[in-house]
Amino acid sequence: MRSRFQRQKRKKLHVSLNALICIVLVLIFIVAGNIIWGDSNEASTNNPQNQTRSKGEQNNQQNNDTTIRKDKETDLKNHDIKLRENKKTKDQQEAKRIQKDSEEAKKEQKAEKDREEQKAKEAKEEREKQRSQDEKKVTGSGSSEPIGTSQTGPHTSSYVEDSVDWNEKVKAIQMATGLGDNMNIWRIENGGGPQKSVGKVSPDGEDSWMYVVNLEWVDQKGWKVTSVSKQNR
């Protein structure tokens, strides 16, 4: 019995020793590993090549930052330039539009002026044409025959407007000048004798010149035009 108990006791002791040995070995490996890795990291940190690489990385980072900053500044400048160019373009377009509107307004004003001048020219030509026609109606010797009369008995020339004798004078003047009712009578007056009269008339609306019509009474036949001339007023 005792021998068996001793064998078990030695067996347990042997197992315990083996376990302790394993633990010690593990601890040794852990400590050795820490020492090895620690030295490796320290060597890496103290290595000039690693330090140079670290500074190079820092320089690269700074260069990258500088490049990024410069790119941003360039983008801002380009954006500002583009805005100014767009504004300049819009200003130029607006200036061109204003200039175009001004030129069109001037053209329209000139066209309107030309139309007015053309109308004035046509009106003047029409007046000249009418004047020429009126002048052609004038004869130096006047009418060859008296115009007739409704008066009887001894004749007395009258210069009372709308009297029978007055109206017959007006009729003779109208026939001689061809003016008809479109006639402005300046005066009808004595023509140098009791049976002579002179009428001074113009076309309606004409103030610069007039017809001078000489009349002579023929008994029982009425007033006869002896001459028609044109004079400035």
Side-chain angles (χ1 to χ4, degrees):
M1 283 296 288
R2 188 176 180 178
S3 178
R4 183 178 179 184
F5 176 76
Q6 288 178 348
R7 283 197 301 274
Q8 289 178 350
K9 186 177 181 180
R10 285 196 298 272
K11 185 176 181 180
K12 289 180 180 179
L13 180 61
H14 182 71
V15 170
S16 298
L17 291 172
N18 288 335
L20 289 172
I21 291 170
C22 290
I23 291 171
V24 170
L25 291 174
V26 170
L27 291 174
I28 290 171
F29 282 123
I30 291 173
V31 172
N34 287 333
I35 292 171
I36 293 171
W37 285 105
D39 292 341
S40 177
N41 289 335
E42 184 177 358
S44 176
T45 302
N46 294 327
N47 191 337
Q49 184 177 0
N50 291 335
Q51 291 179 357
T52 302
R53 184 181 299 112
S54 178
K55 290 182 180 178
E57 291 175 353
Q58 291 177 359
N59 290 334
N60 289 335
Q61 183 64 36
Q62 290 178 354
N63 291 334
N64 290 335
D65 293 341
T66 301
T67 301
I68 292 172
R69 185 178 68 255
K70 288 182 178 180
D71 289 342
K72 289 182 178 180
E73 291 176 352
T74 301
D75 291 340
L76 289 174
K77 288 181 180 179
N78 291 335
H79 181 67
D80 186 54
I81 292 172
K82 186 175 181 180
L83 289 176
R84 288 198 298 270
E85 289 177 348
N86 290 337
K87 185 178 183 302
K88 183 178 180 181
T89 300
K90 290 181 179 179
D91 291 343
Q92 290 175 345
Q93 291 175 348
E94 181 65 16
K96 289 181 180 179
R97 185 188 66 78
I98 294 173
Q99 183 179 2
K100 182 179 179 181
D101 292 343
S102 177
E103 290 176 352
E104 290 179 353
K106 289 180 180 179
K107 288 181 180 178
E108 181 60 28
Q109 290 176 355
K110 186 177 183 302
E112 181 64 23
K113 183 179 179 181
D114 291 342
R115 287 193 292 268
E116 291 177 355
E117 290 178 349
Q118 182 64 25
K119 289 181 180 179
K121 181 180 179 181
E122 291 175 354
K124 182 178 179 181
E125 290 176 350
E126 182 63 26
R127 289 195 300 270
E128 293 293 336
K129 181 180 179 181
Q130 184 63 42
R131 179 182 297 179
S132 177
Q133 291 176 350
D134 292 340
E135 289 176 351
K136 288 179 181 179
K137 295 175 183 177
V138 178
T139 60
S141 60
S143 173
S144 59
E145 296 294 335
I147 63 168
T149 181
S150 62
Q151 301 181 62
T152 60
H155 175 261
T156 300
S157 184
S158 173
Y159 296 99
V160 177
E161 190 171 347
D162 287 334
S163 65
V164 174
D165 192 64
W166 172 276
N167 288 336
E168 288 184 355
K169 287 185 180 80
V170 170
K171 182 178 179 181
I173 292 171
Q174 288 176 332
M175 292 176 64
T177 59
L179 295 179
D181 293 332
N182 297 320
M183 183 175 68
N184 185 17
I185 300 174
W186 299 110
R187 67 181 66 87
I188 297 177
E189 57 192 5
N190 186 282
Q195 304 300 327
K196 292 183 179 181
S197 296
V198 58
K200 297 178 180 180
V201 300
S202 295
D204 195 19
E206 178 59 63
D207 296 334
S208 62
W209 58 272
M210 63 184 178
Y211 291 124
V212 178
V213 183
N214 288 289
L215 305 171
E216 183 178 356
W217 175 260
V218 179
D219 287 337
Q220 308 300 321
K221 293 184 178 180
W223 288 101
K224 175 182 176 181
V225 176
T226 58
S227 67
V228 179
S229 62
K230 179 182 174 183
Q231 294 180 4
N232 293 327
R233 291 194 68 249

